[in-house]
Amino acid sequence: MNALHPYYCCSPRHELSAHVVRRMHEAAQDVWRHDISLTIDSCISGISMPATTSVTLNTGAAMPTVGLGTWKSKPGQVEHAVEFALKNGYTHIDTAAGYQNETEVGQGIKASGLPREQVFLTTKLDNPDQRHPAKALEASLKKLDTPYLDLWLMHWPAPMTRDGKPDREHSWLDTWKAMEDLYIAHPEKLKAIGVSNFSVEFFERLLKVARVVPAVNQIELHPSCPQDDVVEYCQSKGIVLTAYSPLGSDNSPLLKNETVTKIAAKPMHTVLPKSVTNERILNNAKIIDLTPEEISELHDIDKTHHFRACHPSWTGFGGLGFPDCNSMMGRP
């Protein structure tokens, strides 16, 4: 959220592409200032199938595919956006401790008047809190003014100190073990746990010791960064994939990509952008299907125009196992 979501037996190209082209269509009229996220649980790569409105997590819970992300949404704006979205059909809200707006998100949920059990709420454990996840969980619950979370994610497999430096004396594996303990001990507080920004390499390390398979993995995913290896791996493990920055984030070159703008000229709508504008919140709650040919065209963009909006090196832990990031940093 960045943050949010879509699934059933849909191709990852299909869902992502639909979202991207709609945002491209709107970008011609306004400057894109907020990031987007959507969730993808795909079965068959390259085959277009109808978009769906929910996905089933490995816990058995249903997660709405249409949701509002709140990254970069400031206090004074985000509470209104959340309230408006929930009053107009949305039932999924995504935030994070690191976004520093959990209090306002909670206020927006309360102001909507929607019963808590009708809202799917996601937040994330911040990197500097990895040594003390129990304390961080209570802080998030208090700020959001909620007795439980539908989904709690480890934001990055990258423990950090309060001054923003890598905490190399603490292992993110220990953080996951602590999250598992909380999930098992407090099902009334945590309905599901998951991860974010996990590569296949890091997943293999995690699943060797995990007692709980993550319900979700949230990663950067767009036509210039399709991450097919992570998509396929998550599918094989029954892990729902959430895509953030599906348009490549601020000032993305995808905004001017010839393939994207051509397809975006068609009238269409899609899912899960972060926005504080009422009209966009309403428009983005609609989902459409693309043709297999359009999906293939969008997927081919990465062959000549690969980029990442958020390189994991900012954490101080290098490429975090992502092949394109490791090669950029000289790793084999």
Side-chain angles (χ1 to χ4, degrees), residues 107-304:
Q107 291 171 351
I109 293 173
K110 279 294 190 328
S112 74
L114 207 62
R116 174 63 185 86
E117 60 271 18
Q118 293 184 22
V119 179
F120 191 99
L121 179 59
T122 300
T123 194
K124 309 174 191 71
L125 177 69
D126 204 8
N127 296 347
D129 294 325
Q130 289 208 20
R131 284 180 179 265
H132 308 285
K135 182 179 179 180
L137 172 60
E138 292 303 320
S140 286
L141 291 173
K142 183 176 180 180
K143 290 178 180 179
L144 289 163
D145 194 14
T146 180
Y148 69 93
L149 299 174
D150 295 281
L151 178 63
W152 192 37
L153 305 178
M154 182 192 300
H155 210 153
W156 291 83
M160 300 180 77
T161 61
R162 289 294 170 190
D163 58 358
K165 297 179 180 179
D167 183 357
R168 301 188 185 281
E169 296 182 358
H170 181 77
S171 171
W172 57 266
L173 285 170
D174 290 332
T175 299
W176 180 253
K177 292 175 184 178
M179 290 177 67
E180 288 178 320
D181 289 340
L182 290 166
Y183 172 70
I184 293 169
H186 299 286
E188 78 282 3
K189 294 182 180 181
L190 291 171
K191 304 303 180 183
I193 56 175
V195 297
S196 182
N197 298 296
F198 266 59
S199 63
V200 172
E201 178 183 323
F202 274 50
F203 254 123
E204 290 181 338
R205 291 172 58 187
L206 175 63
L207 295 184
K208 285 180 181 179
V209 299
R211 291 167 291 163
V212 178
V213 176
V216 168
N217 181 27
Q218 186 176 121
I219 61 170
E220 179 174 345
L221 195 65
H222 49 76
S224 285
C225 188
Q227 305 212 65
D228 291 333
D229 61 331
V230 182
V231 172
E232 293 171 6
Y233 187 87
C234 288
Q235 290 172 352
S236 73
K237 302 299 181 181
I239 300 168
V240 169
L241 191 65
T242 300
Y244 71 75
S245 295
L247 187 54
S249 198
D250 299 340
N251 301 312
S252 169
L254 288 171
L255 290 169
K256 298 181 180 179
N257 182 276
E258 182 178 347
T259 299
V260 176
T261 54
K262 178 187 71 175
I263 297 175
K266 298 171 56 179
M268 59 183 67
H269 299 274
T270 183
V271 302
L272 210 46
K274 301 180 182 67
S275 180
V276 294
T277 304
N278 291 353
E279 184 177 0
R280 281 191 175 182
I281 288 173
L282 292 175
N283 285 341
N284 287 312
K286 301 177 182 179
I287 307 173
I288 59 91
D289 296 312
L290 297 181
T291 67
E293 292 75 20
E294 290 168 335
I295 294 166
S296 180
E297 285 185 72
L298 288 165
H299 198 73
D300 285 345
I301 291 174
D302 181 62
K303 295 178 180 179
T304 54

Side-chain angles (χ1 to χ4, degrees), residues 38-76:
L38 56 138
T39 306
I40 301 168
D41 181 16
S42 320
C43 298
I44 308 172
S45 179
I47 298 179
S48 175
M49 299 188 72
T52 58
T53 58
S54 69
V55 60
T56 302
L57 303 181
N58 59 16
T59 61
M63 181 168 70
T65 59
V66 178
L68 184 74
T70 60
W71 185 45
K72 295 187 178 181
S73 297
K74 299 178 181 179

